[in-house]
Amino acid sequence: MSEVKERSVDLATQKILRKANEEDIVVAWDRFESMQPQCGFGELGICCRICNMGPCRIDPFGDGAQRGVCGANADTIVARNLARMIAAGAAAHSDHGRDVAHALLLSAQGKAGAYKIKDKAKLASLAGEYGIKVEGRKKEEIAEDLANKVLNEFGQQHGELRMALRAPKKRVELWRKLGIMPRGMDREIVEMMHRTNMGVGNDYKNILLHGMRAALSDGWGGSMLATELSDILFGTPQPIRGKSNLGVLAEDEVNVVVHGHEPTLSEVVVEASRDPEILSLIKEDGAKGINIAGICCTSNEILMRHGVPIAGNFLQQELALITGAVDLMMVDVQCLMPALSNVADCFHTKLITTSPKCKFPGVEHIEFKEEKAYEIAKDILKLAIENYKDRKKERVSIPKENEDLIAGFTAESVFSFLGGKYRATYRPLNDAIIAGRLRGAAGVVGCNNPNLKHNYAHIEMAKELIKNDVLVVTTGCSAIADAEAGLLQPEAAFKYAGKGLQEICETVGIPPILHVGSCVDNSRILITLTNVVNEGGLGEDISDLPVAGAAPEWMSEKAISIGFYFVASGVFTIFGTPHPILGSSNVTDLVCGGLEGMVGGKFAFEADPIKAAHLMIEHINKKREALKLKPMMYE
Amino acid sequence: MNYVITVNTEKCLGCKSCELQCAVTHSKSKVLFIAVREEPLPQQRVSVESVGGLALPLQCRHCGNAPCVSICPTHALEKAGPEAPVIIKEELCIGCKWCILICPFGVIGMNREGKAAIKCDLCLERVKMGKQPACVEACPTGVLSFVKIEEVIKEKKRKFLVDFEKGEKSARGE
């Protein structure tokens, strides 16, 4: 087994990894080691399993087969595989959006009492965008119309996605010209699966062009709607304090960990945890209280809106259970390791699946229904409370690591704060960039992957960027990594940020790295970029802006979709380890080069976070030069 | 060294991972993602061949009395001792292909320039560093293993005795 220090930079993680080793509990890092060496054909993307004449694989060194049975070459195979990853990622985000829209509809119809419309202002403005009459109508009426319009958009066959029209004018025109303006979320994903089916298109450029369309239907469609509708239902986040890392688990309270991505049930679980009946049951059971903590993006959703503590990110999901202190883990969808059930079996922990889309064999399933959300949430909490007495004290060890953080930033809130509470505007942000106090901004997002040291790349990349006066916005497991390293505190600006960024953080009272939410909330970054363009002075399109993006420890297909909608929106984007495309030099050259001429954004692959940060800084400098901005104030 | 690569004939799925890693190990960079763009492209020394339902990786057996070494007119092929692998010195090879013709297994090939023969070197460099040959390490189903010939013999004897004791084999080994 590799040294725990080689596995993660996080101390709490290292402690639990040692415990896992002592107790012979297998975790993702062990499985990663037993998987070595991984299949080179898969890594290069040149294995095709699309039809039953195959599987076919291309010899990357030219001696063996250069074409599959049907005649597909490496370019076609690689492009199809990549395009299908985009489709799967876009499907996951968009289906999440659909579920939120469904909850909004039921709430508006009075069929789901647990859900109230929390942000009336956002409801009115979004309804306005969809051409729904607002004046003189009840919020429920407006919400019902909005939910129906949105739900119809998933299956819309023609026309353009309403959210995509939010992009800068020049960008929308470019998408139209390229024929990649997204029409409907489901439509683009289905068409992607069709186009990559046996015997359809084999022009790699044409395949990936539609890949971008499917990705845009995610970023400027499914994901953006997931964010907007969640804000309407659960409230638009405001800056809020929270805590992070395994140390948030409580020694003497009932620990319930919510894990996955969708906020619909976990929101209600948080509310139900304050129910008098639940509180009295806890007392009877001898626990001092009930502690809800989260993993992955379910965690980010309820952190952003309620300050609910984060227990960990993707690679810490098994570790949370290995503390021995989790009485119940409730999962919804996405990024859930099947291994959770094996790890839970090693302890008293009850694992509960809740989504009809996601069951684990042998694991208790309590199906979530919007109509009965509150009762279901209470039933789940009761199971946790009942299970608390079975917790074996001698097997519990909770690391003390537990960092304070500030989260809850949105396109509406933080950047308006920069202008002061009373004149909400992006002007000061744009001016700071124009004047050279800020070099630009970077989005650092994405997963963990045992193929890189846990959290290391997220943290070091973010630190290097802020050191160079690049404001960082973060989501998902990257945000959790930064939180665990104490980087989401205003004080981090003094420790790590360059002088210009430090001045801004000090004036406004914000951390140098802004947590803007879950992975669907990457759409908040798209809106922020658009607002910056619209504010003026930094070009006419997102591709003119001194900004860059990165997913340094990516693993999910969702990351590929996110990467492509950022690139197709004009953002230079770095992935740590490469996409599985290097088996085709044509596709690689397109993705890491040619795309820039088409959409203004492109990819680069660099696993070293410091080198990657400097590629981003170089790109930002190039954009500053093109915009003829002032030299950096402090260099 | 006296090690041999053994092949379990029942486990090969034909994935060709051994071929791929062999080429990477014989590349300049030794890194897959870089090797796919090297000039000239690296070459594999092992190949997965199949007949009917049987697929198997074939590579040089490093024969004790190697016909390729005997026939080589320029002494480019060499076996330094009874336990040493058969190695080719590319700079001495004139590309006459006699070794290819005489090899009973068809496991010698020509390099991309067509100027010299290439063959398995039993991953000498890797083995010196305490690693296993690349093909052995790459195999996901454990078809290949790198073991001392004495161990192979011992295991065969043990297996024979077990079967004999069970009455599944006669003393003649049938």
Side-chain angles (χ1 to χ4, degrees), chain A residues 220-233:
Chain A
W220 297 89
S223 277
M224 195 169 284
L225 286 165
T227 299
E228 296 290 33
L229 300 183
S230 294
D231 283 356
I232 289 171
L233 263 185

Side-chain angles (χ1 to χ4, degrees), chain B residues 52-87:
Chain B
L54 179 77
L56 278 182
L58 295 179
Q59 69 277 80
C60 175
R61 301 313 307 161
H62 299 280
C63 307
N65 182 11
C68 56
V69 173
S70 315
I71 205 166
C72 181
T74 59
H75 302 290
L77 281 153
E78 170 190 275
K79 189 172 171 77
E83 294 184 359
V86 175
I87 299 294

Side-chain angles (χ1 to χ4, degrees), chain A residues 116-436:
Chain A
K116 307 269 179 317
I117 288 148
K118 294 244 177 76
D119 191 337
K120 276 191 271 181
K122 195 167 236 191
L123 171 68
S125 79
L126 194 65
E129 283 185 71
Y130 275 89
I132 295 162
K133 191 172 166 279
V134 173
E135 287 82 30
R137 298 181 75 201
K138 282 200 284 190
K139 63 179 182 187
E140 287 76 16
E141 290 168 3
I142 303 167
E144 184 170 6
D145 283 357
L146 177 63
N148 277 323
K149 278 230 170 183
V150 166
L151 286 167
N152 284 336
E153 237 184 354
F154 279 87
Q156 182 171 291
Q157 301 303 314
H158 308 289
E160 296 172 338
L161 285 185
R162 187 59 201 80
M163 291 294 99
L165 291 168
R166 286 176 160 187
K169 213 170 141 235
K170 224 176 142 182
R171 182 66 24 191
V172 171
E173 279 160 17
L174 176 68
W175 289 338
R176 285 179 184 148
K177 200 181 102 208
L178 290 170
I180 58 171
M181 187 69 184
R183 295 159 292 188
M185 285 75 97
D186 294 352
R187 153 129 215 197
E188 306 310 353
I189 293 162
V190 167
E191 189 172 320
M192 189 78 269
M193 295 310 283
H194 175 199
R195 282 172 180 245
T196 53
N197 189 243
M198 191 275 144
V200 190
N202 59 79
D203 173 2
Y204 68 96
K205 276 189 196 155
N206 198 46
I207 292 169
L208 290 178
L209 208 57
H210 188 80
M212 289 197 284
R213 197 175 201 176
L216 288 172
S217 82
D218 170 359
W220 297 89
S223 277
M224 195 169 284
L225 286 165
T227 299
E228 296 290 33
L229 300 183
S230 294
D231 283 356
I232 289 171
L233 263 185
F234 310 123
T236 301
Q238 296 292 328
I240 191 165
R241 287 186 183 283
K243 284 181 176 298
S244 69
N245 215 341
L246 297 166
V248 305
L249 296 171
E251 202 82 53
D252 46 12
E253 293 181 29
V254 178
N255 288 312
V256 177
V257 172
V258 293
H259 174 22
H261 283 74
E262 293 186 5
T264 32
L265 178 55
S266 48
E267 271 281 335
V268 186
V269 166
V270 173
E271 199 190 326
S273 71
R274 297 161 194 149
D275 186 284
E277 189 196 355
I278 293 295
L279 294 175
S280 75
L281 279 173
I282 295 164
K283 248 186 212 162
E284 278 170 37
D285 221 32
K288 289 218 172 109
I290 188 156
N291 179 38
I292 314 281
I295 306 252
C296 286
C297 282
T298 294
S299 180
N300 284 322
E301 295 276 356
I302 53 178
L303 164 75
M304 292 281 284
R305 298 192 177 89
H306 306 285
V308 170
I310 300 172
N313 54 8
F314 175 69
L315 273 180
Q316 290 175 300
Q317 56 185 288
E318 295 170 282
L319 309 186
L321 304 187
I322 299 172
T323 62
V326 176
D327 302 299
L328 183 140
M329 178 183 265
M330 175 196 102
V331 298
D332 49 85
V333 287
Q334 300 172 18
C335 298
L336 316 167
M337 291 192 189
L340 284 174
S341 65
N342 305 71
V343 180
D345 282 347
C346 302
F347 295 91
H348 77 297
T349 308
K350 217 169 200 1
L351 182 64
I352 302 284
T353 54
T354 58
S355 164
K357 296 169 196 169
C358 172
K359 294 185 180 182
F360 285 33
V363 165
E364 187 169 346
H365 183 75
I366 300 181
E367 194 148 306
F368 166 61
K369 289 193 180 66
E370 288 84 350
E371 294 88 335
K372 290 183 181 162
Y374 197 75
E375 292 74 23
I376 292 164
K378 270 174 76 177
D379 285 347
I380 292 172
L381 290 175
K382 283 177 193 167
L383 277 178
I385 296 163
E386 209 181 284
N387 201 28
Y388 172 75
K389 61 177 182 304
D390 292 332
R391 196 194 291 179
K392 299 201 171 45
K393 284 245 152 53
E394 68 280 7
R395 291 201 65 199
V396 172
S397 66
I398 303 171
K400 64 176 193 311
E401 283 74 17
N402 180 353
E403 280 288 347
D404 289 331
L405 66 97
I406 297 183
F409 298 103
T410 63
E412 293 87 2
S413 69
V414 60
F415 300 95
S416 307
F417 284 157
L418 288 167
K421 245 182 188 159
Y422 302 103
R423 50 182 190 99
T425 157
Y426 273 60
R427 197 66 247 160
L429 173 66
N430 284 33
D431 285 346
I433 294 173
I434 292 166

